Amino acid sequence: MTKEENNGAAEELQIQSKKALKKQQKEAEKAAKKADKQAKLAAEQQTTSEEDFAKDRYGQPAMVQSQQKPDRVLVRIQDLTPEKADQLVWVRARIHTSRAKGKQCFLVLRHQQFNVQALVAVGDRASKQMVKFAANINKESIVDVEGVVRKVDQKIESCTQQDVELHIEKIFVISLAEPRLPLQLEDAVRPDGAGDEEGRATVNQDTRLDNRVIDLRTTTSQAVFRLQSGICHLFRDTLIKKGFVEIQTPKIISAASEGGANVFTVSYFKTSAYLAQSPQLYKQMCICADFEKVFCIGPVFRAEDSNTHRHLTEFVGLDIEMAFNYHYHEVVDQIADTMVQIFKGLRDNFTTEIETVNKQYPSEPFKFLEPTLRLEYKEGVAMLREAGIEMGDEEDLSTPNEKLLGRLVKEKYDTDFYILDKYPLAVRPFYTMPDPSNAKYSNSYDMFMRGEEILSGAQRIHDPDLLTERAIHHNIDLEKIKAYIDSFRYGAPPHAGGGIGLERVTMLYLGLHNVRQTSMFPRDPKRLTP
Amino acid sequence: MAEAALKELASLEKYLGLKKTNKYSTKGERKVPVLQTKDGQDIVGLVTIACHLVKAAKQEQLLGRTREESAVVQQWLEYRIVQLGAPGAKEESRSTLRDLNEYLEDKVYFGGDFLSLADILMYYGLHSCMVDLTVQDREKFVNVSRWFSHIQQLPNVQQHLPRVHIMKNRIYTNVH
């Protein structure tokens, strides 16, 4: 090392030490400030512990480990109505927001999609320290609150319980949330565009889905999934009344049911298996086994690498299969009626939920006709041609054309739900029964909601010879579907059916734009968590 | 571009009822159309030639009957060349359509209440754009569609171009 370099290094050292010195000074100052603050806080606490007369009325009790069974009724927030005025009640809820203002603190307590305004004010029931404690509880913490229900003169517009507020006498934290939330609930329920005007934030979909547990707490999500549960319930209820039997089918299957390209392969001991794309084969086998009318609610899997607003890789399928007497329209009518019963049930029993979702995602009310409108594919094509669309007779409907046809049907018939019957045979799976009067067409149908397909169904071929012929026509390896074809050899009744995607029905009924909004924990080619 | 311009002039000749078709050539990198007249003079440029043809057909009313009218016609003829003929016009077509839609809201023709050469040339110029629009977009630019539908139905205007289907009833009302 030369001298110069040495010098240079020394200088550098000096500079460094200078810097370090400054840093140290700063840190010392900081520490002093901190100590000061702490001292102040301690002093405050000391004085408070001396004076606090309400110290038994708030705090963070020990973790609930089921040590006791207190004789305490927790009233639900939705039940806090003027009838309960002047009663002393216990409530368990989350801290939605809190706003301290001098000697009082306003809280909004939330339970599911309901909320109420609560108030802690310094007085003979609450001390200064208690108000401060209440104001400092982190958002989203769960609290047990005892308070008096009081009528209010002016409606509280921001809450669902507008006519009362809760005057808190005791408040205990049951579960403390972390101070920083990955997303704010208010931001997550703001309608698209409304944020821009006020310069406020909205939360994008990926952030929502990454923090799904919090996003699911929003009023909109709560309403969506309560309504979705309603769809399943109405589906089951209607079909059971019609004499259907609910069945459970395996999801691990040995051969792909509808074309081999879009199935998930799983390793199955020494061989491989597939995840079911639909319970198609099994529900048909149940028909051959004399169950006559069956339905099944369960997961179905599609390994399609399509990232669209309406594709998921796992979704819930509502499947129907039914033996009929002479014409497959017997089945179509049953399915259509089931859908209509669902729409009616939602309209009548889920008004609040629909309104809640509409607040964030406005849409027109869902319209349907009774009996359901049934158009033939040919008529649909004719309507599209009339609107200037060029397409072949046997061409499948593209998504834009499907949507356009939906608009045309809505304009002409004023319905958001209709059936398109008699699809070209060429665009349907091999087990679809050909139309007896025109070999180019088939006894198959799709059902549409707001111009998007929700159900695909058909009369199935119940004759093993015709089934074999069609399979060969579709270049399907007969060996692989032997068991399926064989099940029709011992007497099989004519039958038809269809499968609906639960998420799609929810999405389209509510007029939402993305199927991920109606899937609780969506799975798509890019998302496997949460 | 050049092909289209020559076709357009041929269509215009037919529309104007000119019997003897002219011979055209093109000039320069952008293939500007050139018309050689009988007396040996060259007329250059789509709009210039178009105006010449209108005069030759003795249909001067298509260039405006008063000075105000002819100023408006000239303005739209220039728009046709500068805005619709410019490179990259295709990419900007949506904003062009939005502007035109606003302009045409209270007008039957580009000049207001009289048919002019501007309508004919704007029709030829916008045709490729209108063909590509979806039904929903045609409804969105409803005033352009109304004007376009009107012009393409005038006798002898359509000529070499396929008809664009414009729906008469609105189907996307109240779309959220």
Side-chain angles (χ1 to χ4, degrees):
Chain A
M1 213 182 264
T2 64
K3 214 176 174 183
E4 246 173 62
E5 267 179 29
N6 229 335
N7 265 349
E11 253 170 57
E12 212 167 88
L13 243 160
Q14 245 181 356
I15 293 171
Q16 261 185 358
S17 64
K18 257 189 197 168
K19 268 188 190 165
L21 212 78
K22 260 190 188 170
K23 215 175 180 182
Q24 265 178 357
Q25 256 178 351
K26 256 189 191 170
E27 255 161 43
E29 271 170 43
K30 245 188 194 169
K33 262 187 192 168
K34 213 173 176 184
D36 216 37
K37 220 177 183 178
Q38 264 175 350
K40 259 190 196 167
L41 242 162
E44 214 170 88
Q45 258 171 5
Q46 235 176 13
T47 53
T48 61
S49 60
E50 276 164 26
E51 296 165 17
D52 193 359
F53 60 90
K55 63 173 182 288
D56 299 331
R57 297 180 163 272
Y58 65 92
Q60 191 170 357
M63 191 199 304
V64 174
Q65 263 186 310
S66 310
Q67 301 97 323
Q68 47 184 350
K69 296 182 181 173
D71 189 19
R72 182 185 288 170
V73 181
L74 292 171
V75 178
R76 296 166 71 84
I77 282 184
Q78 67 204 87
D79 296 331
L80 297 179
T81 53
E83 285 120 62
K84 284 225 167 24
D86 302 323
Q87 287 182 24
L88 190 64
V89 295
W90 276 98
V91 169
R92 176 167 294 180
R94 284 186 191 276
I95 304 281
H96 186 60
T97 58
S98 68
R99 185 163 51 89
K101 210 174 153 193
K103 288 188 168 183
Q104 47 188 5
C105 172
F106 286 96
L107 302 170
V108 174
L109 300 179
R110 188 188 82 236
H111 178 244
Q112 295 171 351
Q113 71 266 52
F114 303 100
N115 50 24
V116 68
Q117 177 168 288
L119 168 68
V120 199
V122 176
D124 53 351
R125 298 287 182 175
S127 61
K128 227 181 182 175
Q129 293 81 0
M130 178 170 160
V131 173
K132 204 171 169 195
F133 172 83
N136 284 332
I137 304 173
N138 297 334
K139 270 192 200 177
E140 292 301 301
S141 297
I142 299 173
V143 291
D144 271 5
V145 163
E146 190 184 36
V148 182
V149 183
R150 297 268 189 232
K151 270 196 216 172
V152 288
D153 305 328
Q154 227 176 11
K155 274 187 189 284
I156 302 161
E157 298 290 347
S158 58
C159 292
T160 57
Q161 310 313 109
Q162 303 195 326
D163 303 313
V164 295
E165 62 180 9
L166 196 63
H167 288 231
I168 294 177
E169 301 202 343
K170 291 179 185 164
I171 181 162
F172 298 103
V173 177
I174 299 299
S175 172
L176 186 65
E178 290 200 1
R180 283 172 64 92
L181 295 165
L183 61 96
Q184 300 298 320
L185 267 74
E186 298 97 282
D187 296 342
V189 295
R190 200 161 283 135
D192 286 344
D196 304 339
E197 280 164 34
E198 298 160 29
R200 289 189 180 155
T202 46
V203 188
N204 73 28
Q205 182 146 289
D206 273 326
T207 313
R208 286 163 187 271
L209 296 180
D210 289 340
N211 303 286
R212 192 61 162 154
V213 172
I214 296 181
D215 181 48
L216 287 173
R217 289 178 193 169
T218 60
T219 47
T220 310
S221 300
Q222 288 281 324
V224 166
F225 291 102
R226 274 156 213 283
L227 182 123
Q228 188 167 75
S229 154
I231 294 177
C232 280
H233 178 239
L234 289 160
F235 181 76
R236 233 184 220 117
D237 211 38
T238 312
L239 290 176
I240 298 242
K241 273 187 203 146
K242 289 178 189 288
F244 277 74
V245 178
E246 178 162 7
I247 56 164
Q248 301 298 339
T249 63
K251 306 302 169 207
I252 305 175
I253 55 173
S254 62
S257 53
E258 305 166 35
N262 52 4
V263 283
F264 286 108
T265 315
V266 290
S267 80
Y268 194 73
F269 303 110
K270 280 179 184 155
T271 161
S272 55
Y274 304 104
L275 292 181
Q277 297 155 301
S278 82
Q280 186 61 39
L281 309 187
Y282 293 94
K283 57 184 190 174
Q284 282 191 260
M285 284 194 241
C286 287
I287 296 297
C288 295
D290 285 349
F291 281 93
E292 199 184 347
K293 299 169 175 181
V294 295
F295 74 94
C296 170
I297 300 179
V300 288
F301 304 89
R302 299 284 156 93
E304 284 171 78
D305 194 7
S306 40
N307 295 286
T308 72
H309 76 285
R310 60 176 193 169
H311 283 94
L312 292 172
T313 49
E314 176 182 349
F315 59 95
V316 177
L318 309 178
D319 274 87
I320 299 179
E321 200 70 30
M322 178 184 148
F324 61 82
N325 298 331
Y326 298 105
H327 200 293
Y328 74 101
H329 281 176
E330 294 165 34
V331 180
V332 179
D333 292 343
Q334 290 286 322
I335 300 176
D337 180 63
T338 306
M339 294 308 296
V340 167
Q341 295 310 321
I342 292 174
F343 300 148
K344 276 189 183 169
L346 294 178
R347 182 192 62 194
D348 299 342
N349 305 328
F350 289 85
T351 333
T352 331
E353 280 77 6
I354 295 168
E355 273 170 20
T356 309
V357 176
N358 271 338
K359 261 185 225 157
Q360 187 175 0
Y361 302 104
S363 72
E364 288 175 77
F366 191 83
K367 284 190 172 166
F368 55 92
L369 299 174
E370 217 176 344
T372 304
L373 172 69
R374 189 173 62 226
L375 294 173
E376 289 207 359
Y377 195 80
K378 275 186 246 176
E379 296 175 75
V381 173
M383 281 171 82
L384 283 172
R385 285 192 184 141
E386 213 173 290
I389 301 294
E390 286 166 33
M391 66 177 287
D393 277 337
E394 289 180 66
E395 202 179 308
D396 205 0
L397 283 181
S398 65
T399 309
N401 285 350
E402 207 174 279
K403 283 192 176 166
L404 174 58
L405 183 58
R407 296 308 308 186
L408 293 168
V409 168
K410 170 92 185 224
E411 204 264 339
K412 193 166 174 185
Y413 300 97
D414 198 27
T415 175
D416 286 307
F417 178 62
Y418 73 98
I419 305 166
L420 202 56
D421 196 13
K422 297 278 179 202
Y423 267 68
L425 185 60
V427 304
R428 306 298 273 201
F430 74 98
Y431 49 74
T432 309
M433 182 67 88
D435 180 2
S437 57
N438 186 342
K440 277 185 180 175
Y441 291 94
S442 65
N443 290 349
S444 63
Y445 42 86
D446 274 5
M447 295 189 186
F448 294 87
M449 283 171 71
R450 298 197 204 253
E452 291 190 52
E453 181 239 307
I454 51 135
L455 173 141
S456 205
Q459 177 184 351
R460 331 291 188 185
I461 299 173
H462 60 282
D463 177 78
D465 297 334
L466 181 57
L467 192 57
T468 312
E469 187 191 315
R470 293 297 307 163
I472 291 169
H473 183 82
H474 275 85
N475 292 323
I476 291 168
D477 185 359
L478 288 176
E479 225 14 73
K480 279 192 175 163
I481 53 163
K482 190 171 178 301
Y484 174 63
I485 295 179
D486 282 347
S487 50
F488 300 103
R489 291 196 193 279
Y490 313 105
H495 62 284
I500 312 165
L502 175 64
E503 288 84 352
R504 276 197 195 177
V505 173
T506 319
M507 163 177 89
L508 294 167
Y509 185 83
L510 292 169
L512 299 176
H513 304 302
N514 197 308
V515 74
R516 288 163 191 78
Q517 289 172 308
T518 58
S519 174
M520 211 164 228
F521 299 102
R523 291 286 175 264
D524 65 38
K526 294 195 174 114
R527 181 174 289 280
L528 205 50
T529 54
Chain B
M1 198 61 216
E3 279 274 303
L6 295 186
K7 266 192 186 168
E8 194 174 335
L9 286 169
S11 290
L12 182 64
E13 282 172 358
K14 280 189 201 145
Y15 168 70
L16 293 168
L18 290 168
K19 290 231 172 61
K20 200 175 151 280
T21 49
N22 295 293
K23 277 268 188 299
Y24 297 96
S25 54
T26 56
K27 172 168 126 178
E29 223 171 273
R30 293 190 56 196
K31 305 209 168 173
V32 178
V34 179
L35 167 66
Q36 203 167 39
T37 57
K38 275 175 250 160
D39 46 17
Q41 270 189 321
D42 278 358
I43 304 179
V44 184
L46 178 68
V47 168
T48 323
I49 298 170
C51 290
H52 169 80
L53 293 176
V54 167
K55 280 174 193 148
K58 300 208 185 320
Q59 299 202 36
E60 277 95 343
Q61 80 282 357
L62 286 176
L63 298 174
R65 297 156 299 189
T66 63
R67 283 165 72 177
E68 282 86 359
E69 284 184 3
S70 41
V72 172
V73 172
Q74 284 307 320
Q75 181 203 308
W76 285 108
L77 289 174
E78 195 172 317
Y79 184 95
R80 160 72 174 80
I81 293 298
V82 174
Q83 190 72 24
L84 299 185
K90 203 91 186 171
E91 288 72 47
E92 282 174 36
S93 67
R94 293 191 73 83
S95 70
T96 304
L97 285 171
R98 203 171 306 127
D99 293 345
L100 294 181
N101 195 54
E102 217 167 277
Y103 175 77
L104 287 170
E105 183 166 10
D106 56 355
K107 290 172 191 70
V108 179
Y109 301 103
F110 269 95
D113 59 356
F114 66 101
L115 176 70
S116 70
L117 181 63
D119 293 295
I120 313 295
L121 290 198
M122 285 296 276
Y123 162 75
Y124 291 143
L126 283 170
H127 189 279
S128 65
C129 198
M130 291 299 285
V131 166
D132 289 343
L133 286 188
T134 63
V135 175
Q136 184 164 11
D137 283 335
R138 280 177 208 158
E139 185 165 316
K140 187 174 168 196
F141 305 118
V142 63
N143 300 316
V144 176
S145 294
R146 165 180 50 74
W147 163 84
F148 191 90
S149 166
H150 177 53
I151 301 299
Q152 78 176 349
Q153 286 178 59
L154 292 176
N156 297 325
V157 174
Q158 205 184 318
Q159 300 287 355
H160 65 288
L161 296 168
R163 172 154 299 209
V164 175
H165 190 276
I166 310 280
M167 297 212 13
K168 286 200 178 66
N169 37 5
R170 308 195 66 162
I171 60 170
Y172 291 94
T173 47
N174 312 316
V175 163
H176 47 266

